[in-house]
Amino acid sequence: HTRTHTSKNAKESEGVITSLLDALPNMFKSTKITESCMGSALQAAHMASKHVGGKIMLFAATMPTVGAFTLKHSRDNPRLLGSDKEIELLKPADDTYRNQAVELTRVQASVELFVCANTYMDNATLMALCRYSAGDLHYYPQFNIHTQGEKLRNEIYHTLTREMGWEAVMRIRVSKGWRISAFYGHLYVRGMDLLVVPNCHADQTFAVTLEMEENVIPDPVVCIQCALLYTNSDSERRIRVHTYSVAVSQNFGEVCNSMDVQCTAAIMAQVAVDTATKGKLSDGQQYISTTCGQ
């Protein structure tokens, strides 16, 4: 398909789009089909946006079982709860959605996924679509329009109207004697240190962990610099640079007194989840216990 077949200018087609949205509730109100082809719809959205990138708003009420990127209900296995294999329920079934997210980053598109389900959804697998494309997963378990409808509406409105940066890439540098050991957040790391963030906004947070290099005496002050290259909504290409310096100390009391508790708790949770999904749930629990004990 060409661009003409897959996308239209919103302002020029406002009347047609509004009419379609008004008609949708009645078009399928009597359908008895419960199967979903969400994966195929995602492919179509990818094709429609590949020439400009942007944000894909994806909605799901049931598991995708038809077309591309299908998932299986058999992943829901309550017998694994409380066992050593429980962690398998928190891992993606495969890399299909991760690979699709990486393809979306190549065209500077991200996915905002809204899951409004009354039955089991394999969010562990679907989450990769948002995580690696710099989007978010909004989950409404046992969705009820009367109790959760307002929350859904507000989050859709916020997602569509917040100030955005587009086609963004970010690089973080640290002082000599230090190195970045891991990145955390909804982003895709291309190469060694280039962070791809198709959509960036004030609600996002990214974290890195630092380690001292071997056989190097670090300076008494460590500097961290983050450079973000992005396009604003006025089509202006901009660079935002943040540089932060902090004193290095071997005094445990000084380290604790200078600690940002909320930030530390957040990154500990990130590391614990990452540790657990690469091994066992108990590994993540042990990490938190050991770190807090220190």
Side-chain angles (χ1 to χ4, degrees):
H1 293 289
T2 64
R3 173 182 173 181
T4 305
H5 292 152
T6 57
S7 61
K8 294 291 184 182
N9 183 284
K11 291 185 177 179
E12 294 174 358
S13 307
E14 182 178 353
V16 176
I17 295 172
T18 302
S19 298
L20 173 62
L21 293 175
D22 290 338
L24 278 176
N26 292 322
M27 290 172 64
F28 301 101
K29 68 178 182 179
S30 300
T31 184
K32 296 182 180 179
I33 300 174
T34 59
E35 294 180 309
S36 167
C37 58
M38 186 192 77
S40 298
L42 176 62
Q43 285 184 323
H46 180 191
M47 180 173 60
S49 63
K50 65 182 180 181
H51 60 287
V52 291
K55 187 199 313 287
I56 296 174
M57 305 282 284
L58 187 62
F59 296 82
T62 59
M63 289 263 280
T65 55
V66 178
F69 312 146
T70 58
L71 296 174
K72 298 179 179 179
H73 288 278
S74 59
R75 283 264 295 168
D76 183 21
N77 189 352
R79 291 179 296 178
L80 297 183
L81 297 176
S83 69
D84 291 339
K85 294 184 178 180
E86 181 179 355
I87 191 62
E88 297 301 321
L89 302 177
L90 304 179
K91 296 179 180 179
D94 53 43
D95 289 332
T96 300
Y97 280 89
R98 181 188 185 281
N99 295 339
Q100 179 60 29
V102 173
E103 289 302 311
L104 287 169
T105 65
R106 299 185 192 282
V107 299
Q108 298 296 341
S110 73
V111 175
E112 294 285 337
L113 177 58
F114 295 81
V115 178
C116 309
N118 287 308
T119 57
Y120 169 74
M121 292 290 290
D122 188 359
N123 287 333
T125 300
L126 294 173
M127 183 62 186
L129 188 62
C130 307
R131 177 179 180 181
Y132 294 101
S133 70
D136 288 300
L137 189 152
H138 308 261
Y139 182 45
Y140 309 85
Q142 298 301 313
F143 180 74
N144 184 297
I145 188 65
H146 300 294
T147 58
Q148 297 169 293
E150 188 66 18
K151 181 176 185 292
L152 173 61
R153 178 188 180 281
N154 290 339
E155 291 190 352
I156 293 174
Y157 180 82
H158 179 68
T159 300
L160 289 172
T161 58
R162 65 190 168 195
E163 186 175 355
M164 298 291 302
W166 311 93
E167 302 177 353
V169 290
M170 182 166 60
R171 177 166 277 132
I172 301 175
R173 301 187 301 169
V174 294
S175 298
K176 181 181 178 181
W178 296 83
R179 65 182 181 87
I180 298 174
S181 57
F183 297 92
Y184 299 95
H186 285 199
L187 48 82
Y188 175 63
V189 183
R190 184 172 295 161
M192 293 295 293
D193 61 350
L194 185 66
L195 312 184
V196 181
V197 190
N199 292 182
C200 60
H201 48 80
D203 297 329
Q204 288 173 318
T205 57
F206 306 108
V208 296
T209 52
L210 307 181
E211 291 182 355
M212 287 189 293
E213 294 182 336
E214 296 181 0
N215 303 320
V216 175
I217 300 176
D219 295 331
V221 174
V222 57
C223 292
I224 306 168
Q225 185 177 78
C226 172
L228 176 70
L229 173 65
Y230 69 100
T231 302
N232 65 18
S233 294
D234 294 323
S235 300
E236 298 171 336
R237 198 67 172 158
R238 293 186 174 182
I239 298 177
R240 177 172 289 184
V241 179
H242 291 277
T243 304
Y244 180 72
S245 62
V246 59
V248 177
S249 175
Q250 295 183 358
N251 186 304
F252 189 72
E254 291 180 348
V255 174
C256 289
N257 291 333
S258 65
M259 187 180 298
D260 184 322
V261 177
Q262 290 182 328
C263 178
T264 302
I267 197 167
M268 282 178 58
Q270 292 267 19
V271 176
V273 170
D274 190 57
T275 301
T277 52
K278 290 179 179 178
K280 300 180 295 183
L281 277 177
S282 57
D283 294 336
Q285 296 168 344
Q286 183 63 37
Y287 165 79
I288 292 178
S289 177
T290 302
T291 305
C292 291
Q294 293 176 346

